[in-house]
Amino acid sequence: MPLTPTTRDRLVAGVTHLLRTGRHVSSRAAESVYGGLPSFGWTLLVPLERDGEQRCSALAGHAGVDVSVVSRQVAALERDGYVERRPDPHDGRASLIGLSPAGAAALARTRELRSAWATAALADWDEDDARLLSELVERLAADLDRAATPPRQPVGAAS
Amino acid sequence: MPLTPTTRDRLVAGVTHLLRTGRHVSSRAAESVYGGLPSFGWTLLVPLERDGEQRCSALAGHAGVDVSVVSRQVAALERDGYVERRPDPHDGRASLIGLSPAGAAALARTRELRSAWATAALADWDEDDARLLSELVERLAADLDRAATPPRQPVGAAS
DNA sequence: GAGAAGTGCTTGTAGACCGCAACCATACGT
DNA sequence: ACGTATGGTTGCGGTCTACAAGCACTTCTC
Protein backbone atom coordinates (compact mmCIF):
# COMPACT_ATOMS: atom_id res chain seq x y z
CA MET A 1 0.00 0.00 0.00
CA PRO A 2 2.42 2.62 -1.20
CA LEU A 3 0.07 5.54 -0.78
CA THR A 4 0.96 8.11 1.84
CA PRO A 5 -1.90 9.18 4.12
CA THR A 6 -0.94 12.75 3.42
CA THR A 7 -1.34 12.31 -0.28
CA ARG A 8 -4.53 10.38 0.19
CA ASP A 9 -6.07 13.14 2.28
CA ARG A 10 -4.87 15.76 -0.11
CA LEU A 11 -6.41 13.93 -2.99
CA VAL A 12 -9.71 13.56 -1.18
CA ALA A 13 -9.70 17.24 -0.28
CA GLY A 14 -8.84 18.23 -3.82
CA VAL A 15 -11.59 16.13 -5.30
CA THR A 16 -14.03 17.49 -2.75
CA HIS A 17 -13.10 20.98 -3.75
CA LEU A 18 -13.46 20.11 -7.39
CA LEU A 19 -16.88 18.69 -6.66
CA ARG A 20 -18.04 21.86 -5.01
CA THR A 21 -16.60 23.98 -7.77
CA GLY A 22 -18.25 21.83 -10.37
CA ARG A 23 -21.60 22.31 -8.67
CA HIS A 24 -21.09 26.04 -8.70
CA VAL A 25 -20.08 26.06 -12.31
CA SER A 26 -23.06 24.08 -13.45
CA SER A 27 -25.43 26.33 -11.58
CA ARG A 28 -23.80 29.72 -11.98
CA ALA A 29 -22.40 29.54 -15.48
CA ALA A 30 -25.49 27.61 -16.41
CA GLU A 31 -27.57 29.83 -18.61
CA SER A 32 -24.66 31.04 -20.62
CA VAL A 33 -23.76 27.49 -21.52
CA TYR A 34 -27.04 25.57 -21.74
CA GLY A 35 -28.30 27.32 -24.83
CA GLY A 36 -31.97 27.15 -23.98
CA LEU A 37 -31.96 23.58 -22.78
CA PRO A 38 -32.87 22.74 -19.22
CA SER A 39 -30.01 21.82 -16.97
CA PHE A 40 -30.32 18.11 -17.60
CA GLY A 41 -30.70 18.53 -21.35
CA TRP A 42 -27.09 17.89 -22.20
CA THR A 43 -26.88 14.71 -20.18
CA LEU A 44 -29.89 13.20 -21.88
CA LEU A 45 -29.53 14.51 -25.39
CA VAL A 46 -25.93 13.53 -25.94
CA PRO A 47 -26.59 9.79 -25.64
CA LEU A 48 -29.58 10.19 -27.93
CA GLU A 49 -27.45 11.86 -30.54
CA ARG A 50 -24.66 9.35 -30.21
CA ASP A 51 -26.61 6.11 -29.99
CA GLY A 52 -29.93 7.04 -31.55
CA GLU A 53 -33.34 6.25 -30.17
CA GLN A 54 -33.44 4.49 -26.85
CA ARG A 55 -35.64 3.89 -23.89
CA CYS A 56 -35.90 5.72 -20.62
CA SER A 57 -34.12 3.04 -18.70
CA ALA A 58 -31.13 3.22 -21.03
CA LEU A 59 -30.98 6.97 -20.61
CA ALA A 60 -31.19 6.57 -16.88
CA GLY A 61 -28.27 4.21 -17.05
CA HIS A 62 -26.20 6.69 -18.99
CA ALA A 63 -27.15 9.53 -16.72
CA GLY A 64 -26.59 7.49 -13.59
CA VAL A 65 -29.89 8.43 -11.97
CA ASP A 66 -33.14 6.74 -11.17
CA VAL A 67 -35.56 5.95 -13.96
CA SER A 68 -38.21 8.09 -12.35
CA VAL A 69 -35.99 11.12 -12.65
CA VAL A 70 -35.37 10.51 -16.31
CA SER A 71 -39.04 9.93 -16.86
CA ARG A 72 -39.85 13.41 -15.66
CA GLN A 73 -36.95 14.97 -17.48
CA VAL A 74 -37.88 13.30 -20.73
CA ALA A 75 -41.45 14.50 -20.26
CA ALA A 76 -40.15 18.04 -19.93
CA LEU A 77 -37.91 17.71 -22.97
CA GLU A 78 -40.79 16.27 -24.94
CA ARG A 79 -43.08 19.08 -23.88
CA ASP A 80 -40.50 21.57 -25.10
CA GLY A 81 -40.07 19.73 -28.36
CA TYR A 82 -36.48 18.60 -27.94
CA VAL A 83 -37.23 14.90 -28.08
CA GLU A 84 -39.87 12.74 -29.69
CA ARG A 85 -41.38 9.61 -28.27
CA ARG A 86 -42.76 6.64 -30.10
CA PRO A 87 -43.88 3.27 -28.82
CA ASP A 88 -41.30 0.54 -29.03
CA PRO A 89 -42.49 -1.76 -31.83
CA HIS A 90 -41.03 -4.77 -30.06
CA ASP A 91 -42.30 -4.02 -26.57
CA GLY A 92 -45.58 -2.34 -25.89
CA ARG A 93 -44.55 -1.31 -22.42
CA ALA A 94 -41.60 0.75 -23.53
CA SER A 95 -41.21 3.95 -25.47
CA LEU A 96 -38.32 4.93 -27.65
CA ILE A 97 -37.03 8.42 -27.14
CA GLY A 98 -35.41 10.15 -30.07
CA LEU A 99 -33.81 13.48 -30.75
CA SER A 100 -36.08 15.89 -32.60
CA PRO A 101 -34.68 18.39 -35.12
CA ALA A 102 -35.15 21.13 -32.55
CA GLY A 103 -33.31 18.99 -30.02
CA ALA A 104 -30.44 18.42 -32.41
CA ALA A 105 -30.23 22.13 -33.10
CA ALA A 106 -30.26 23.01 -29.42
CA LEU A 107 -27.64 20.39 -28.78
CA ALA A 108 -25.40 21.85 -31.46
CA ARG A 109 -25.87 25.32 -30.01
CA THR A 110 -25.08 24.08 -26.54
CA ARG A 111 -22.05 22.26 -27.81
CA GLU A 112 -20.68 25.49 -29.21
CA LEU A 113 -21.23 27.33 -25.96
CA ARG A 114 -19.74 24.58 -23.87
CA SER A 115 -16.73 24.35 -26.12
CA ALA A 116 -16.13 28.04 -25.93
CA TRP A 117 -16.50 28.04 -22.18
CA ALA A 118 -14.24 25.06 -21.71
CA THR A 119 -11.64 26.48 -24.04
CA ALA A 120 -11.55 29.68 -22.04
CA ALA A 121 -11.47 27.89 -18.71
CA LEU A 122 -8.68 25.58 -19.84
CA ALA A 123 -6.76 28.30 -21.59
CA ASP A 124 -3.44 27.67 -19.92
CA TRP A 125 -3.49 23.91 -20.03
CA ASP A 126 -1.31 22.08 -22.44
CA GLU A 127 -2.13 18.88 -24.21
CA ASP A 128 0.04 16.60 -22.10
CA ASP A 129 -1.27 17.74 -18.75
CA ALA A 130 -4.84 17.66 -19.92
CA ARG A 131 -4.52 14.19 -21.35
CA LEU A 132 -2.82 12.96 -18.23
CA LEU A 133 -5.50 14.47 -16.04
CA SER A 134 -8.18 12.90 -18.21
CA GLU A 135 -6.74 9.49 -17.73
CA LEU A 136 -6.25 9.84 -14.01
CA VAL A 137 -9.71 11.30 -13.52
CA GLU A 138 -11.34 8.48 -15.44
CA ARG A 139 -9.44 5.96 -13.45
CA LEU A 140 -10.37 7.64 -10.20
CA ALA A 141 -14.04 7.82 -11.15
CA ALA A 142 -14.00 4.14 -11.96
CA ASP A 143 -12.39 3.30 -8.63
CA LEU A 144 -14.84 5.43 -6.72
CA ASP A 145 -17.73 3.87 -8.58
CA ARG A 146 -16.44 0.49 -7.60
CA ALA A 147 -15.93 1.47 -4.00
CA ALA A 148 -19.37 3.07 -3.73
CA THR A 149 -21.33 0.10 -4.94
CA PRO A 150 -22.12 -2.47 -2.27
CA PRO A 151 -19.27 -4.92 -1.74
CA ARG A 152 -19.63 -7.54 -4.42
CA GLN A 153 -17.75 -10.78 -4.66
CA PRO A 154 -15.20 -9.76 -7.25
CA VAL A 155 -14.21 -13.12 -8.68
CA GLY A 156 -15.67 -16.58 -8.77
CA ALA A 157 -17.83 -16.71 -5.70
CA ALA A 158 -21.19 -18.39 -5.72
CA SER A 159 -23.68 -15.55 -5.70
CA MET B 1 -3.81 27.12 -27.57
CA PRO B 2 -2.11 23.76 -27.65
CA LEU B 3 -5.10 21.86 -26.31
CA THR B 4 -6.80 19.45 -28.68
CA PRO B 5 -10.60 19.68 -28.77
CA THR B 6 -10.70 15.95 -28.35
CA THR B 7 -8.73 16.09 -25.16
CA ARG B 8 -10.73 19.03 -23.93
CA ASP B 9 -14.01 17.23 -24.46
CA ARG B 10 -12.63 14.11 -22.92
CA LEU B 11 -11.52 16.02 -19.87
CA VAL B 12 -14.89 17.69 -19.52
CA ALA B 13 -16.66 14.37 -19.84
CA GLY B 14 -14.33 12.76 -17.34
CA VAL B 15 -14.82 15.48 -14.80
CA THR B 16 -18.56 15.36 -15.32
CA HIS B 17 -18.50 11.66 -14.65
CA LEU B 18 -16.39 12.18 -11.58
CA LEU B 19 -18.85 14.79 -10.37
CA ARG B 20 -21.75 12.41 -10.70
CA THR B 21 -19.85 9.63 -9.03
CA GLY B 22 -18.86 11.90 -6.22
CA ARG B 23 -22.46 12.81 -5.61
CA HIS B 24 -23.36 9.15 -5.49
CA VAL B 25 -20.57 8.37 -3.13
CA SER B 26 -21.47 11.09 -0.72
CA SER B 27 -25.08 9.99 -0.64
CA ARG B 28 -24.76 6.24 -0.89
CA ALA B 29 -21.66 5.54 1.16
CA ALA B 30 -22.84 8.28 3.48
CA GLU B 31 -23.89 6.64 6.68
CA SER B 32 -20.98 4.29 6.77
CA VAL B 33 -18.58 7.19 6.64
CA TYR B 34 -20.23 10.06 8.46
CA GLY B 35 -19.97 8.51 11.90
CA GLY B 36 -23.16 9.97 13.31
CA LEU B 37 -22.64 13.46 11.93
CA PRO B 38 -25.07 14.94 9.48
CA SER B 39 -23.94 15.07 5.89
CA PHE B 40 -22.54 18.57 6.18
CA GLY B 41 -20.79 17.90 9.47
CA TRP B 42 -17.39 17.15 8.02
CA THR B 43 -17.30 20.27 5.90
CA LEU B 44 -18.06 22.52 8.84
CA LEU B 45 -16.22 20.79 11.64
CA VAL B 46 -12.89 20.42 9.89
CA PRO B 47 -12.28 24.17 9.62
CA LEU B 48 -13.31 24.55 13.24
CA GLU B 49 -10.80 21.97 14.31
CA ARG B 50 -8.05 23.41 12.17
CA ASP B 51 -8.54 27.12 12.75
CA GLY B 52 -10.43 27.21 16.02
CA GLU B 53 -13.50 29.26 16.77
CA GLN B 54 -14.88 31.30 13.93
CA ARG B 55 -18.02 32.93 12.73
CA CYS B 56 -20.72 31.69 10.43
CA SER B 57 -19.56 33.79 7.55
CA ALA B 58 -16.06 32.35 7.74
CA LEU B 59 -17.47 28.84 7.75
CA ALA B 60 -19.63 29.71 4.77
CA GLY B 61 -16.55 30.90 2.99
CA HIS B 62 -14.73 27.66 3.65
CA ALA B 63 -17.70 25.58 2.64
CA GLY B 64 -18.38 27.66 -0.44
CA VAL B 65 -22.08 28.09 0.23
CA ASP B 66 -24.40 30.87 1.24
CA VAL B 67 -24.32 32.11 4.83
CA SER B 68 -27.96 31.22 5.29
CA VAL B 69 -27.19 27.60 4.57
CA VAL B 70 -24.42 27.52 7.13
CA SER B 71 -26.63 29.26 9.64
CA ARG B 72 -29.12 26.42 9.53
CA GLN B 73 -26.46 23.77 9.50
CA VAL B 74 -24.73 25.27 12.49
CA ALA B 75 -28.05 25.44 14.31
CA ALA B 76 -28.48 21.72 13.69
CA LEU B 77 -24.96 20.92 14.84
CA GLU B 78 -25.47 23.02 17.93
CA ARG B 79 -28.76 21.31 18.69
CA ASP B 80 -26.98 17.95 18.48
CA GLY B 81 -24.15 19.16 20.67
CA TYR B 82 -21.34 19.03 18.14
CA VAL B 83 -20.56 22.73 18.28
CA GLU B 84 -20.85 25.46 20.86
CA ARG B 85 -21.74 29.05 20.25
CA ARG B 86 -20.69 32.08 22.20
CA PRO B 87 -21.14 35.75 21.44
CA ASP B 88 -18.18 37.39 19.82
CA PRO B 89 -16.67 39.63 22.51
CA HIS B 90 -15.58 42.15 19.90
CA ASP B 91 -18.79 42.28 17.88
CA GLY B 92 -22.20 41.89 19.40
CA ARG B 93 -23.76 40.95 16.09
CA ALA B 94 -21.64 37.91 15.53
CA SER B 95 -21.30 34.58 17.26
CA LEU B 96 -18.22 32.46 17.47
CA ILE B 97 -18.75 28.82 16.69
CA GLY B 98 -16.43 26.33 18.32
CA LEU B 99 -15.98 22.59 18.32
CA SER B 100 -17.44 20.90 21.39
CA PRO B 101 -15.81 17.82 22.91
CA ALA B 102 -18.56 15.72 21.39
CA GLY B 103 -17.90 17.36 18.07
CA ALA B 104 -14.20 16.64 18.29
CA ALA B 105 -14.92 13.05 19.14
CA ALA B 106 -17.35 12.66 16.27
CA LEU B 107 -14.87 14.27 13.95
CA ALA B 108 -12.16 11.86 15.01
CA ARG B 109 -14.53 8.95 14.49
CA THR B 110 -15.51 10.23 11.08
CA ARG B 111 -11.89 10.75 10.17
CA GLU B 112 -11.17 7.11 10.88
CA LEU B 113 -14.07 5.96 8.77
CA ARG B 114 -13.22 8.26 5.92
CA SER B 115 -9.61 7.20 5.98
CA ALA B 116 -10.52 3.56 5.89
CA TRP B 117 -12.94 4.13 3.05
CA ALA B 118 -10.51 6.22 1.06
CA THR B 119 -7.73 3.73 1.61
CA ALA B 120 -9.89 0.95 0.28
CA ALA B 121 -11.11 2.98 -2.67
CA LEU B 122 -7.59 4.05 -3.59
CA ALA B 123 -6.09 0.66 -2.97
CA ASP B 124 -4.35 0.29 -6.30
CA TRP B 125 -3.03 3.82 -6.58
CA ASP B 126 0.61 4.50 -6.08
CA GLU B 127 2.10 7.57 -4.51
CA ASP B 128 3.28 9.19 -7.71
CA ASP B 129 0.01 8.96 -9.58
CA ALA B 130 -1.98 10.12 -6.59
CA ARG B 131 0.25 13.09 -5.99
CA LEU B 132 0.19 14.01 -9.64
CA LEU B 133 -3.57 13.76 -9.72
CA SER B 134 -3.81 15.89 -6.61
CA GLU B 135 -1.84 18.64 -8.20
CA LEU B 136 -3.71 18.55 -11.45
CA VAL B 137 -7.07 18.44 -9.72
CA GLU B 138 -6.22 21.41 -7.55
CA ARG B 139 -5.08 23.34 -10.54
CA LEU B 140 -8.21 22.45 -12.46
CA ALA B 141 -10.46 23.43 -9.59
CA ALA B 142 -8.71 26.77 -9.36
CA ASP B 143 -9.12 27.37 -13.08
CA LEU B 144 -12.77 26.44 -13.00
CA ASP B 145 -13.31 28.68 -10.01
CA ARG B 146 -11.78 31.51 -11.91
CA ALA B 147 -13.78 30.80 -15.03
CA ALA B 148 -17.03 30.51 -13.11
CA THR B 149 -16.82 33.81 -11.31
CA PRO B 150 -18.08 36.79 -13.27
CA PRO B 151 -15.44 38.13 -15.63
CA ARG B 152 -13.21 40.37 -13.59
CA GLN B 153 -10.52 42.62 -14.91
CA PRO B 154 -7.52 40.41 -14.22
CA VAL B 155 -4.73 42.95 -14.07
CA GLY B 156 -4.40 46.66 -13.62
CA ALA B 157 -7.78 47.94 -14.59
CA ALA B 158 -9.47 50.67 -12.62
CA SER B 159 -12.13 48.89 -10.66
C1' DG C 1 -23.75 61.78 20.37
C1' DA C 2 -27.62 61.23 17.14
C1' DG C 3 -28.87 59.68 12.77
C1' DA C 4 -27.44 57.14 8.55
C1' DA C 5 -25.34 53.48 6.49
C1' DG C 6 -23.12 49.09 6.73
C1' DT C 7 -22.55 44.33 8.58
C1' DG C 8 -23.57 39.63 10.73
C1' DC C 9 -26.88 36.56 11.22
C1' DT C 10 -31.51 34.36 11.11
C1' DT C 11 -35.72 33.04 8.99
C1' DG C 12 -39.19 32.68 5.26
C1' DT C 13 -39.78 31.11 0.84
C1' DA C 14 -39.03 28.80 -3.27
C1' DG C 15 -36.62 25.96 -6.69
C1' DA C 16 -33.78 22.13 -8.36
C1' DC C 17 -32.81 17.24 -7.89
C1' DC C 18 -33.07 12.92 -6.25
C1' DG C 19 -34.82 8.24 -4.73
C1' DC C 20 -38.29 5.08 -3.04
C1' DA C 21 -42.73 3.04 -3.26
C1' DA C 22 -47.04 2.33 -5.34
C1' DC C 23 -49.27 1.64 -9.48
C1' DC C 24 -50.59 0.49 -14.40
C1' DA C 25 -49.87 -1.80 -18.68
C1' DT C 26 -47.61 -5.10 -21.16
C1' DA C 27 -44.55 -9.10 -21.82
C1' DC C 28 -42.99 -13.65 -20.66
C1' DG C 29 -42.70 -18.42 -18.67
C1' DT C 30 -45.06 -22.54 -17.55
C1' DA D 1 -54.56 -18.75 -18.90
C1' DC D 2 -52.33 -17.47 -14.89
C1' DG D 3 -48.67 -15.81 -12.12
C1' DT D 4 -44.55 -13.29 -12.36
C1' DA D 5 -41.31 -10.01 -14.24
C1' DT D 6 -40.38 -5.67 -16.44
C1' DG D 7 -40.80 -0.67 -18.35
C1' DG D 8 -42.65 3.50 -17.16
C1' DT D 9 -45.31 7.09 -14.59
C1' DT D 10 -46.66 9.47 -10.62
C1' DG D 11 -47.06 10.66 -5.59
C1' DC D 12 -44.40 11.77 -1.92
C1' DG D 13 -40.76 13.07 0.97
C1' DG D 14 -36.06 14.50 1.67
C1' DT D 15 -31.82 17.17 0.88
C1' DC D 16 -29.44 21.01 -0.58
C1' DT D 17 -29.30 25.49 -2.25
C1' DA D 18 -29.89 30.71 -2.99
C1' DC D 19 -32.30 35.00 -2.54
C1' DA D 20 -34.87 38.45 0.05
C1' DA D 21 -36.57 40.47 4.19
C1' DG D 22 -35.89 41.58 8.80
C1' DC D 23 -33.42 42.24 13.30
C1' DA D 24 -29.60 43.58 16.19
C1' DC D 25 -25.58 45.75 16.43
C1' DT D 26 -21.52 48.42 14.76
C1' DT D 27 -19.34 52.16 12.43
C1' DC D 28 -19.24 56.30 10.07
C1' DT D 29 -20.41 61.19 9.67
C1' DC D 30 -21.46 65.55 11.05
Side-chain angles (χ1 to χ4, degrees):
Chain A
M1 184 220 296
L3 204 159
T4 299
T6 308
T7 304
R8 163 169 61 56
D9 291 348
R10 186 178 161 203
L11 182 54
V12 171
V15 169
T16 303
H17 183 195
L18 182 61
L19 239 70
R20 197 177 58 223
T21 302
R23 203 174 32 200
H24 278 177
V25 166
S26 63
S27 79
R28 192 164 301 269
E31 297 122 24
S32 65
V33 158
Y34 286 162
L37 271 68
S39 61
F40 45 80
W42 179 263
T43 311
L44 294 187
L45 264 42
V46 163
L48 288 180
E49 183 185 55
R50 191 187 53 214
D51 303 328
E53 286 182 324
Q54 47 197 302
R55 15 177 92 179
C56 271
S57 47
L59 287 175
H62 285 131
V65 296
D66 193 85
V67 189
S68 63
V69 176
V70 171
S71 174
R72 288 178 244 268
Q73 294 176 340
V74 163
L77 291 175
E78 187 186 13
R79 178 170 38 73
D80 293 347
Y82 294 124
V83 300
E84 286 158 352
R85 181 196 303 261
R86 69 178 178 109
D88 185 330
H90 300 322
D91 188 336
R93 298 166 299 180
S95 301
L96 289 179
I97 316 295
L99 203 56
S100 76
L107 192 51
R109 198 163 51 238
T110 302
R111 177 170 289 118
E112 286 306 312
L113 293 171
R114 284 176 67 105
S115 289
W117 194 93
T119 301
L122 300 176
D124 48 354
W125 283 74
D126 65 34
E127 177 72 13
D128 289 343
D129 283 354
R131 194 186 311 241
L132 189 55
L133 178 55
S134 281
E135 287 163 10
L136 291 174
V137 157
E138 286 164 14
R139 190 176 143 206
L140 178 65
D143 283 355
L144 291 183
D145 257 333
R146 189 147 13 93
T149 53
R152 287 273 189 185
Q153 319 302 339
V155 271
S159 80
Chain B
M1 184 220 295
L3 203 160
T4 299
T6 307
T7 303
R8 163 168 61 57
D9 291 347
R10 185 176 161 204
L11 181 55
V12 171
V15 170
T16 303
H17 182 197
L18 181 61
L19 240 70
R20 198 178 55 223
T21 302
R23 205 174 26 200
H24 278 178
V25 166
S26 63
S27 79
R28 190 164 303 269
E31 297 122 24
S32 65
V33 157
Y34 286 161
L37 272 68
S39 62
F40 45 80
W42 178 263
T43 311
L44 293 186
L45 263 42
V46 163
L48 288 180
E49 183 186 55
R50 191 187 52 214
D51 304 328
E53 285 182 326
Q54 46 197 301
R55 12 177 96 179
C56 272
S57 46
L59 287 175
H62 285 131
V65 295
D66 193 83
V67 189
S68 63
V69 176
V70 171
S71 175
R72 289 178 239 267
Q73 293 176 340
V74 163
L77 291 175
E78 187 185 14
R79 179 171 36 73
D80 293 348
Y82 294 124
V83 301
E84 284 158 353
R85 179 196 304 260
R86 70 178 178 110
D88 185 329
H90 299 322
D91 189 335
R93 299 166 298 182
S95 300
L96 289 179
I97 316 296
L99 204 56
S100 76
L107 193 51
R109 198 163 50 237
T110 302
R111 176 170 289 118
E112 286 306 312
L113 293 171
R114 283 175 69 104
S115 289
W117 194 93
T119 301
L122 301 175
D124 47 357
W125 282 73
D126 65 36
E127 177 71 13
D128 289 343
D129 283 354
R131 193 184 311 238
L132 189 55
L133 178 55
S134 282
E135 287 162 11
L136 291 174
V137 157
E138 285 165 14
R139 189 176 143 205
L140 179 64
D143 283 354
L144 291 184
D145 257 332
R146 188 148 12 94
T149 53
R152 287 272 188 185
Q153 320 302 339
V155 270
S159 79

Coordinates of all heavy atoms in Angstrom, one line a residue, chain A residues 10-19 125 133 136-137 140, chain B residues 15 18 130-144:
Chain A
R10 N -4.9 14.6 0.8 CA -4.9 15.8 -0.1 C -5.7 15.5 -1.4 O -6.4 16.4 -1.8 CB -3.4 16.0 -0.5 CG -3.2 17.2 -1.3 CD -1.8 17.5 -1.6 NE -1.6 18.3 -2.8 CZ -0.5 18.4 -3.5 NH1 0.5 17.6 -3.3 NH2 -0.5 19.2 -4.5
L11 N -5.6 14.3 -1.8 CA -6.4 13.9 -3.0 C -7.9 14.0 -2.7 O -8.7 14.6 -3.5 CB -6.0 12.5 -3.4 CG -6.7 12.0 -4.7 CD1 -6.5 13.0 -5.9 CD2 -6.2 10.6 -5.1
V12 N -8.3 13.5 -1.5 CA -9.7 13.6 -1.2 C -10.2 15.0 -1.1 O -11.2 15.4 -1.6 CB -9.9 12.8 0.2 CG1 -11.4 13.1 0.7 CG2 -9.7 11.3 0.0
A13 N -9.3 15.8 -0.4 CA -9.7 17.2 -0.3 C -9.8 17.9 -1.6 O -10.7 18.7 -1.9 CB -8.7 17.9 0.6
G14 N -8.8 17.6 -2.5 CA -8.8 18.2 -3.8 C -10.1 17.8 -4.6 O -10.7 18.7 -5.2
V15 N -10.4 16.6 -4.6 CA -11.6 16.1 -5.3 C -12.8 16.8 -4.7 O -13.7 17.2 -5.4 CB -11.7 14.6 -5.3 CG1 -13.0 14.1 -5.8 CG2 -10.6 14.0 -6.1
T16 N -12.9 16.8 -3.4 CA -14.0 17.5 -2.7 C -14.2 18.9 -3.2 O -15.3 19.4 -3.6 CB -13.9 17.5 -1.2 OG1 -13.7 16.1 -0.8 CG2 -15.1 18.1 -0.5
H17 N -13.1 19.6 -3.3 CA -13.1 21.0 -3.8 C -13.6 21.0 -5.2 O -14.4 21.9 -5.6 CB -11.7 21.6 -3.6 CG -11.6 23.0 -4.0 ND1 -10.5 23.7 -4.3 CD2 -12.6 23.9 -4.2 CE1 -10.7 24.9 -4.6 NE2 -12.0 25.1 -4.6
L18 N -13.1 20.1 -6.0 CA -13.5 20.1 -7.4 C -15.0 19.8 -7.5 O -15.7 20.4 -8.3 CB -12.7 19.0 -8.1 CG -13.0 18.9 -9.6 CD1 -12.6 20.2 -10.3 CD2 -12.2 17.7 -10.2
L19 N -15.5 19.0 -6.7 CA -16.9 18.7 -6.7 C -17.7 19.9 -6.4 O -18.7 20.2 -7.1 CB -17.2 17.7 -5.6 CG -17.8 16.4 -6.0 CD1 -16.8 15.5 -6.8 CD2 -18.3 15.6 -4.8
W125 N -3.8 25.3 -20.1 CA -3.5 23.9 -20.0 C -2.8 23.5 -21.3 O -3.3 23.9 -22.4 CB -4.7 23.1 -19.8 CG -5.2 23.2 -18.4 CD1 -5.8 24.2 -17.8 CD2 -5.0 22.2 -17.3 NE1 -6.1 23.9 -16.4 CE2 -5.6 22.7 -16.2 CE3 -4.5 20.9 -17.3 CZ2 -5.6 22.0 -15.0 CZ3 -4.5 20.2 -16.1 CH2 -5.1 20.7 -15.0
L133 N -4.4 14.3 -17.0 CA -5.5 14.5 -16.0 C -6.7 13.7 -16.4 O -7.4 13.1 -15.6 CB -5.8 16.0 -15.9 CG -7.0 16.3 -15.0 CD1 -6.7 15.8 -13.6 CD2 -7.2 17.8 -14.9
L136 N -6.2 10.1 -15.5 CA -6.3 9.8 -14.0 C -7.7 10.0 -13.5 O -8.1 9.3 -12.6 CB -5.3 10.8 -13.3 CG -3.8 10.5 -13.6 CD1 -2.9 11.6 -13.0 CD2 -3.4 9.2 -13.0
V137 N -8.4 11.0 -14.0 CA -9.7 11.3 -13.5 C -10.6 10.1 -13.9 O -11.4 9.7 -13.0 CB -10.2 12.6 -14.1 CG1 -11.8 12.6 -14.1 CG2 -9.7 13.8 -13.4
L140 N -9.9 7.4 -11.5 CA -10.4 7.6 -10.2 C -11.9 7.4 -10.1 O -12.4 6.8 -9.2 CB -10.0 9.1 -9.8 CG -10.5 9.5 -8.4 CD1 -9.9 8.7 -7.3 CD2 -10.3 11.0 -8.2
Chain B
V15 N -14.5 14.7 -16.0 CA -14.8 15.5 -14.8 C -16.3 15.4 -14.5 O -16.7 15.2 -13.3 CB -14.4 16.9 -14.9 CG1 -14.9 17.8 -13.8 CG2 -12.9 17.0 -15.0
L18 N -16.9 12.2 -13.0 CA -16.4 12.2 -11.6 C -17.3 12.9 -10.6 O -17.6 12.5 -9.5 CB -15.0 12.8 -11.6 CG -14.3 12.9 -10.2 CD1 -14.1 11.5 -9.6 CD2 -13.0 13.6 -10.3
A130 N -1.1 9.4 -7.5 CA -2.0 10.1 -6.6 C -1.5 11.6 -6.4 O -2.3 12.5 -6.5 CB -2.1 9.4 -5.2
R131 N -0.2 11.7 -6.2 CA 0.3 13.1 -6.0 C 0.1 13.9 -7.2 O -0.4 15.1 -7.2 CB 1.7 13.1 -5.6 CG 2.2 14.4 -5.1 CD 3.7 14.3 -4.8 NE 4.1 13.1 -4.0 CZ 4.7 13.2 -2.8 NH1 5.0 14.4 -2.3 NH2 5.0 12.1 -2.2
L132 N 0.4 13.3 -8.4 CA 0.2 14.0 -9.6 C -1.3 14.4 -9.8 O -1.6 15.6 -10.2 CB 0.6 13.1 -10.8 CG 0.7 13.7 -12.2 CD1 1.6 14.9 -12.1 CD2 1.3 12.6 -13.1
L133 N -2.2 13.5 -9.6 CA -3.6 13.8 -9.7 C -4.0 14.9 -8.8 O -4.8 15.8 -9.2 CB -4.4 12.5 -9.5 CG -5.9 12.7 -9.6 CD1 -6.3 13.2 -10.9 CD2 -6.6 11.3 -9.3
S134 N -3.5 14.8 -7.6 CA -3.8 15.9 -6.6 C -3.5 17.2 -7.2 O -4.3 18.2 -7.2 CB -3.0 15.7 -5.3 OG -3.6 14.7 -4.5
E135 N -2.3 17.3 -7.7 CA -1.8 18.6 -8.2 C -2.7 19.1 -9.4 O -3.2 20.3 -9.4 CB -0.4 18.6 -8.6 CG 0.6 18.5 -7.5 CD 2.0 18.0 -7.9 OE1 2.2 17.9 -9.1 OE2 2.8 17.7 -7.0
L136 N -2.9 18.2 -10.3 CA -3.7 18.5 -11.5 C -5.1 18.9 -11.1 O -5.7 19.9 -11.6 CB -3.7 17.4 -12.5 CG -2.3 17.1 -13.1 CD1 -2.4 15.9 -14.0 CD2 -1.9 18.3 -13.9
V137 N -5.7 18.2 -10.1 CA -7.1 18.4 -9.7 C -7.2 19.8 -9.1 O -8.1 20.6 -9.3 CB -7.6 17.3 -8.8 CG1 -8.7 17.8 -7.9 CG2 -8.0 16.1 -9.6
E138 N -6.2 20.1 -8.2 CA -6.2 21.4 -7.6 C -6.1 22.5 -8.6 O -6.8 23.5 -8.5 CB -5.1 21.5 -6.5 CG -5.3 20.7 -5.3 CD -4.1 20.5 -4.5 OE1 -3.1 21.2 -4.7 OE2 -4.1 19.6 -3.6
R139 N -5.3 22.3 -9.5 CA -5.1 23.3 -10.5 C -6.4 23.5 -11.3 O -6.8 24.6 -11.6 CB -3.9 22.9 -11.5 CG -3.5 24.0 -12.4 CD -2.3 23.5 -13.2 NE -2.3 24.0 -14.6 CZ -1.7 23.4 -15.6 NH1 -1.1 22.3 -15.4 NH2 -1.8 23.9 -16.8
L140 N -7.0 22.4 -11.7 CA -8.2 22.5 -12.5 C -9.3 23.2 -11.7 O -10.0 24.0 -12.2 CB -8.7 21.0 -12.8 CG -10.0 21.0 -13.6 CD1 -9.8 21.7 -15.0 CD2 -10.4 19.5 -13.8
A141 N -9.4 22.8 -10.4 CA -10.5 23.4 -9.6 C -10.2 24.9 -9.5 O -11.2 25.7 -9.7 CB -10.4 22.8 -8.2
A142 N -9.0 25.3 -9.4 CA -8.7 26.8 -9.4 C -9.1 27.4 -10.7 O -9.7 28.5 -10.7 CB -7.2 27.0 -9.1
D143 N -8.8 26.8 -11.8 CA -9.1 27.4 -13.1 C -10.6 27.4 -13.3 O -11.1 28.4 -13.8 CB -8.5 26.6 -14.2 CG -7.0 26.8 -14.3 OD1 -6.5 27.7 -13.6 OD2 -6.3 26.2 -15.1
L144 N -11.3 26.4 -12.8 CA -12.8 26.4 -13.0 C -13.4 27.5 -12.1 O -14.3 28.2 -12.5 CB -13.4 25.1 -12.6 CG -13.0 23.9 -13.6 CD1 -13.7 22.7 -13.2 CD2 -13.4 24.3 -15.0

